[in-house]
């Protein structure tokens, strides 16, 4: 079976500084994979390289066995990869409903159509309503997305990401800045909507990570120092030393 | 709460068909256009209305870029202009024009405008923002310069002229009369406006909004921001070309002025004045601007100064334009509190209007005093005739302006307070 995502010797430098220093990673279809690591380790940069936001300096990223080199974000998205952002990235002046509906358009095959009326497509509107229901924003559907509260915007961010039905979903700190109950809600949602899909997620909350992930990679200073099941990673002495010990202590 | 959910859901299902509520504004507007010539029967009024209709189409096409797609163009007149020039050339091509009913002619203008937009858009829509604006400015300048170089097409400084009546008679109509041209123009106005409105409701039209708001995110949803912009740009060029064709039919002459930067700038002004955030904004802008341009310019040489001041005031105080000001009143209307605003509006806006008129009067006297021929000191203002050498009118206009200002300032806090109240839901709905 080809890996959903296969990363080989990936490198990225900004000017003189090398931020991603030779990452190798293999994520199988259907796997829930968490990337953890201290702030500034390069987790978001890794996401940006995979999704075509930045070009890599060296190395290969392959999605279902296809090399992504030189592909634009929209091409990568069409190949079935969708992502969310650590810093909320929505369409602030459009209504919540429009935000979700726009994220369904390509996957429903509308492409650049200027001969279909969006209001007339039952599948499109019901699909958007269903997503709104999932992210619990039906009551806010008609207000501009920019007026939502922070937590609501985070939920919308996830809604937009999952709407298109991509089979590889990448979430960059989906619960950042959320309260405990909001975090629980979002995690249930993520578990729900990524059923049967490949999930790659950056997450700080260790409780969340160990509860959800099938496998975990620990990124420190642009290198993956350990990859494995939660139990393996937890037991790994290098991880203990470099990161997890401190983080676990901080939790208590 | 469940109630709201059900409501919104049925809204969506209702949205899948053509409802009377949605067709109503269009029916009213069409009926309005039909009866207007019976209300304003003079030829000059009909000319003004034709001009208005053309400007509305042009402004709506401009807003496809600015309001819908987030592209600030400084050279949009080019697409209207070339469409118009082509139509005049067709009018002069006897064999062909003789077989062509005049009402069909604007399509050729549209296709030509679209063709040019196709070429320019292929490189200008790569980026929005400053890059797009600069390219539009450059292309605008380039083509305006071409008008004196490619004389065969643009006719040099005199431009080119034609005669619309040589076309194939359309059900016996030869378009000799202004009123016949009016209905032709009105027909195209409704058709174009509807076309542009429906375009904004298609997938690519919706994505134009998304790309305007956040091009990067749109790319992560499978859409190339560049191609979304490109499609809007091409469609906009088409409708601008239609406006150009109608201009050709109305005036039977096109000159360099139709595609220069001044014209491009004024359509930006018109659109912004009306409001870029709403589909109907440019319609209001075009109506108001055309009225100012035609009616006000008959009254005063300084009309452009007043239009400029209005524009600056709009940008500074009402960035949503006139449509934005209108739509600001939706919440009080929904809350059933609109009537609260009537009195404070009168108490504040009436003195403000008087202040503005008196200030304008003062400026007019000043202008007359400085620029009238020597010995000609008599002037007429607001139905009063006086000499600009007389200090009384100066003092009177100045005093009224200051008094109006003082009153408006004094009553403004009450308006602000009432405004807040009218926008607060106190649960006391009728
Ligand atoms: N566009 C950029 N240009 C220069 N440096 C960057 C850029 N993006 C990220 N960096 C640097 O890369 C490092 C890793 O950042 P990031 O990937 O955001 O870390 P993480 O998500 O793990 O907290 C940081 O030191 C950051 O300053
Ligand atoms: Mg990060």
């Amino acid at each position: 079976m080809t890996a959903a995502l296969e990363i080989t010797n990936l490198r990225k430098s900004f000017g003189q500084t090398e931020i991603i220093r030779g990452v190798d990673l293999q994520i199988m279809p259907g796997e829930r994979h968490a990337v953890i690591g201290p702030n500034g380790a390069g987790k978001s940069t890794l996401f940006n390289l995979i999704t075509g936001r930045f070009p890599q300096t060296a190395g290969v990223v392959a999605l279902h066995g296809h090399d992504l080199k030189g592909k634009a974000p929209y091409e990568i998205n069409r190949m079935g990869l969708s992502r969310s952002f650590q810093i909320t990235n929505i369409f602030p002046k459009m209504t919540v409903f429009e935000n979700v509906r726009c994220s369904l358009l390509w996957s429903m095959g509308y492409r650049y159509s200027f001969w279909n009326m969006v209001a007339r497509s039952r599948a499109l509107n019901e699909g958007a309503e269903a997503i709104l229901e999932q992210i619990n924003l039906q009551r806010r559907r008609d207000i501009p997305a920019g007026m939502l509260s922070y937590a609501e915007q985070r939920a919308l961010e996830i809604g937009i990401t999952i709407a298109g039905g991509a089979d590889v979903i990448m979430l960059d700190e989906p619960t950042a800045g959320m309260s405990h109950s909001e975090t629980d809600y979002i995690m249930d949602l993520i578990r729900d909507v990524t059923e049967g899909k490949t999930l790659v997620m950056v997450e700080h909350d260790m409780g969340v990570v160990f509860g959800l992930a099938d496998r975990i990679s620990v990124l420190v200073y642009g290198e993956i120092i350990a990859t494995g099941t939660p139990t393996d990673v937890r037991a790994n002495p290098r991880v203990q030393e470099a990161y997890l010990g401190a983080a676990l202590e901080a939790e208590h | 709460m469940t109630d709201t959910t059900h409501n919104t859901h049925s809204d969506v299902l209702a949205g899948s068909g053509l409802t009377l509520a949605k067709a109503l504004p269009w029916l009213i507007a069409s009926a309005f256009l039909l009866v207007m010539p019976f209300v304003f029967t003079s030829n000059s009024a009909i000319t003004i209305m034709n001009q208005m209709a053309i400007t509305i189409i042009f402004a709506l096409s401009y807003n496809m870029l600015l309001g819908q797609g987030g592209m600030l163009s400084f050279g949009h007149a080019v697409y209207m202009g070339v469409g118009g020039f082509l139509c005049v050339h067709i009018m002069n091509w006897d064999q062909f024009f003789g077989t062509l009913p005049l009402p069909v002619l604007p399509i050729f203008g549209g296709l030509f405008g679209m063709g040019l937009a196709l070429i320019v858009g292929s490189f200008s829509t790569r980026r929005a923002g400053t890059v797009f604006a600069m390219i539009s400015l450059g292309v605008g300048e380039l083509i305006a310069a071409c008008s004196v170089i490619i004389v065969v097409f643009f006719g040099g400084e005199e431009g080119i002229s034609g005669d619309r009546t040589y076309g194939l008679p359309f059900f016996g109509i030869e378009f000799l009369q202004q009123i016949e041209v009016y209905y032709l123009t009105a027909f195209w106005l409704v058709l174009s406006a509807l076309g542009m409105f429906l375009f904004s409701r298609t997938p690519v039209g919706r994505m134009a909004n998304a790309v305007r708001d956040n091009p990067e995110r749109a790319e992560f949803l499978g859409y190339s921001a560049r191609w979304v912009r490109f499609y809007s740009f091409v469609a906009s060029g088409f409708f601008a070309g239609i406006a150009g064709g109608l201009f050709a039919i109305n005036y039977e002459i096109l000159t360099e002025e139709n595609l220069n930067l001044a014209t491009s700038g004024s359509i930006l002004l018109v659109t912004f004045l009306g409001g870029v955030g709403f589909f109907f904004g440019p319609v209001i802008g075009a109506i108001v601007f055309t009225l100012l341009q035609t009616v006000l310019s008959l009254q005063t040489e300084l009309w452009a100064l007043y239009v400029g001041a209005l524009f600056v005031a709009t940008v500074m105080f009402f960035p949503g334009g006139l449509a934005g000001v209108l739509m600001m009143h939706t919440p009080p209307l929904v809350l059933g509190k609109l009537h609260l605003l009537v009195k404070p509006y009168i108490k504040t806006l009436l003195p403000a209007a008087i202040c503005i008129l008196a200030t304008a009067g003062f400026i007019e006297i000043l202008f007359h005093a400085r620029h009238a021929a020597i010995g000609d000191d008599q002037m007429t203002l607001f139905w009063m005739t006086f000499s600009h050498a007389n200090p009384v009118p100066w003092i009177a206009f100045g005093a009224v302006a200051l008094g109006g200002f003082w009153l408006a300032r004094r009553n403004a806090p009450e308006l602000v307070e009432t405004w807040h109240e009218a926008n607060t839901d106190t649960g006391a709905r009728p």
Side-chain angles (χ1 to χ4, degrees):
Chain A
M1 188 158 61
T2 43
L5 210 53
E6 176 140 25
I7 296 163
T8 327
N9 190 29
L10 190 65
R11 287 170 189 279
K12 177 69 183 177
S13 306
F14 291 112
Q16 293 293 313
T17 24
E18 192 169 46
I19 299 293
I20 297 294
R21 305 188 299 162
V23 165
D24 292 286
L25 189 61
Q26 207 181 38
I27 298 170
M28 299 312 284
E31 181 178 326
R32 289 192 175 119
H33 197 102
V35 178
I36 63 173
N39 266 331
K43 304 179 295 295
S44 294
T45 305
L46 180 63
F47 266 43
N48 290 337
L49 293 177
I50 295 172
T51 56
R53 201 185 198 191
F54 300 155
Q56 68 258 49
T57 309
V60 179
V61 178
L63 178 67
H64 301 303
H66 302 284
D67 188 356
L68 297 184
K69 192 168 171 60
K71 291 224 182 333
Y74 63 89
E75 294 171 296
I76 297 173
N77 179 270
R78 291 173 197 173
M79 292 166 72
L81 184 150
S82 182
R83 71 166 291 185
S84 75
F85 293 80
Q86 182 176 356
I87 297 164
T88 306
N89 203 345
I90 55 179
F91 306 106
K93 281 195 261 170
M94 290 163 35
T95 65
V96 174
F97 179 73
E98 283 289 354
N99 267 266
V100 175
R101 189 162 66 179
C102 277
S103 47
L104 280 167
L105 284 172
W106 189 275
S107 62
M108 286 210 170
Y110 286 101
R111 305 168 70 91
Y112 298 104
S113 157
F114 48 86
W115 53 88
N116 291 290
M117 293 291 126
V118 285
R120 298 186 80 108
S121 164
R122 220 188 160 100
L124 189 60
N125 292 291
E126 284 178 355
E129 292 291 347
I131 302 277
L132 278 186
E133 203 168 315
Q134 266 181 328
I135 56 177
N136 212 6
L137 286 179
Q138 311 102 300
R139 279 180 303 114
R140 314 284 270 161
R141 82 191 276 284
D142 293 318
I143 68 167
M147 285 170 62
L148 293 177
S149 74
Y150 175 77
E152 286 171 333
Q153 292 196 3
R154 294 303 296 167
L156 180 60
E157 172 84 39
I158 293 171
I160 293 175
T161 306
I162 58 165
D167 58 4
V168 179
I169 307 246
M170 299 183 64
L171 305 176
D172 195 351
E173 304 204 20
T175 66
M178 287 194 170
S179 73
H180 267 297
S181 60
E182 286 164 351
T183 301
D184 289 346
Y185 179 75
I186 290 291
M187 289 325 293
D188 285 342
L189 169 67
I190 290 173
R191 196 172 287 130
D192 240 33
V193 297
T194 56
E195 194 60 56
K197 296 182 175 177
T198 313
L199 172 70
V200 189
M201 184 170 79
V202 173
E203 183 52 63
H204 271 304
D205 189 320
M206 288 306 135
V208 166
V209 169
F210 288 115
L212 187 81
D214 302 320
R215 291 203 312 149
I216 296 175
S217 292
V218 184
L219 188 71
V220 179
Y221 292 121
E223 279 174 312
I224 290 188
I225 58 166
T227 297
T229 62
T231 355
D232 290 348
V233 167
R234 212 195 288 255
N236 186 314
R238 273 190 76 195
V239 177
Q240 293 273 344
E241 184 190 334
Y243 171 65
L244 207 52
L248 280 178
E249 258 161 48
E251 285 269 298
H252 297 289
Chain B
M1 237 169 271
T2 30
D3 248 335
T4 355
T5 327
H6 277 285
N7 277 342
T8 50
H9 208 77
S10 55
D11 276 356
V12 171
L13 296 188
S16 53
L18 182 69
T19 58
L20 185 65
K22 275 194 272 170
L24 204 60
W26 296 93
L27 295 176
I28 293 174
S30 305
F32 195 69
L33 286 171
L34 276 178
V35 300
M36 279 303 268
F38 297 98
V39 182
F40 300 98
T41 47
S42 74
N43 255 340
S44 60
I46 291 176
T47 305
I48 292 176
M49 290 192 288
N50 285 352
Q51 162 109 41
M52 236 175 230
I54 295 168
T55 313
I56 291 174
I57 299 175
F58 188 29
L60 282 173
S61 83
Y62 186 76
N63 205 38
M64 287 180 92
L65 301 182
L66 182 61
Q68 308 278 348
M71 288 171 270
L72 174 61
S73 167
F74 291 118
H76 202 51
V78 160
Y79 306 95
M80 174 169 169
V82 296
F85 274 101
L86 182 85
C87 288
V88 178
H89 281 294
I90 293 179
M91 284 183 196
N92 290 331
W93 179 15
D94 294 340
Q95 296 106 309
F96 180 58
F97 192 44
T99 64
L100 186 77
L102 190 70
V104 180
L105 185 63
I107 290 196
F108 292 90
L111 290 176
F112 204 63
M114 183 167 114
L116 182 64
L118 211 73
I119 297 167
V120 176
S122 68
F123 57 86
S124 74
T125 54
R126 251 176 249 258
R127 299 251 172 281
T130 317
V131 178
F132 176 86
M134 287 304 129
I135 294 178
S136 75
L137 188 68
V139 170
E141 183 72 62
L142 186 94
I143 292 183
C146 279
S147 66
V148 283
I149 300 168
I150 311 176
V151 179
V152 231
F153 188 72
F154 296 105
E157 288 188 358
E158 310 90 88
I160 56 163
S161 48
D163 190 332
R164 64 175 176 245
T165 60
Y166 292 168
L168 185 70
F170 179 69
F171 294 109
I173 302 168
E174 289 180 47
F175 297 96
L176 284 159
Q177 302 193 15
Q178 197 69 342
I179 183 76
E180 295 162 346
V181 176
Y182 170 84
Y183 282 112
L184 186 159
T185 311
F187 166 77
W188 274 104
L189 168 60
V190 174
L191 204 65
S192 312
L194 195 61
M196 286 185 262
F197 179 77
L198 292 179
F199 180 87
S200 74
R201 263 67 193 158
T202 62
V204 74
R206 298 283 83 201
M207 285 313 293
N209 287 181
V211 166
R212 169 201 69 196
D213 273 15
N214 189 345
E216 180 176 56
R217 186 53 149 153
E219 295 237 328
F220 285 97
L221 297 177
Y223 280 88
S224 153
R226 178 204 174 166
W227 288 111
V228 171
R229 283 191 210 103
F230 176 76
Y231 284 106
S232 297
F233 191 80
V234 170
S236 168
F238 176 76
F239 289 107
I242 298 265
L246 291 170
F247 188 97
I249 290 172
N250 269 274
Y251 297 94
E252 299 178 307
I253 180 166
L254 268 103
T255 63
E256 185 263 351
E257 206 183 298
N258 291 104
L259 27 83
N260 66 16
L261 295 182
T263 308
S264 293
S266 88
I267 202 62
L268 162 61
L269 200 142
V270 168
T271 309
F272 205 92
L273 182 69
V276 299
F278 299 93
F279 180 80
F280 65 93
V283 179
I284 301 179
I287 293 173
V288 171
F289 182 83
T290 312
L291 278 179
L292 291 176
Q293 190 185 29
T294 52
V295 179
L296 194 63
S297 69
L298 291 178
Q299 306 298 324
T300 164
E301 284 175 67
L302 295 176
W303 72 276
L305 175 78
Y306 302 127
V307 173
L310 178 65
F311 181 63
V312 173
T314 309
V315 173
M316 286 177 65
F317 303 112
F318 302 105
L322 297 173
V325 173
L326 274 182
M327 295 308 281
M328 259 163 58
H329 293 84
T330 318
L333 183 70
V334 171
L335 295 173
K337 288 179 160 188
L338 206 54
H339 63 277
L340 292 181
L341 289 167
V342 176
K343 217 174 96 199
Y345 266 167
I346 293 174
K347 282 172 75 178
T348 310
L349 298 187
L350 194 66
I354 289 171
C355 165
I356 290 167
L357 287 176
T359 309
F362 193 87
I363 294 172
E364 291 291 330
I365 304 177
L366 185 67
F367 181 71
H368 196 267
R370 305 285 307 209
H371 295 279
I374 299 168
D376 169 25
D377 64 339
Q378 290 295 309
M379 63 180 293
T380 304
L381 201 60
F382 299 125
W383 308 279
M384 296 176 281
T385 303
F386 49 81
S387 158
H388 68 234
N390 184 347
V392 176
W394 292 81
I395 296 168
F397 276 107
V400 172
L402 288 176
F405 182 73
W406 178 78
L407 258 180
R409 261 307 271 273
R410 202 196 61 169
N411 295 339
E414 185 190 333
L415 174 59
V416 173
E417 202 174 295
T418 320
W419 177 256
H420 282 302
E421 198 196 322
N423 278 284
T424 321
D425 189 356
T426 42
R429 292 192 198 195

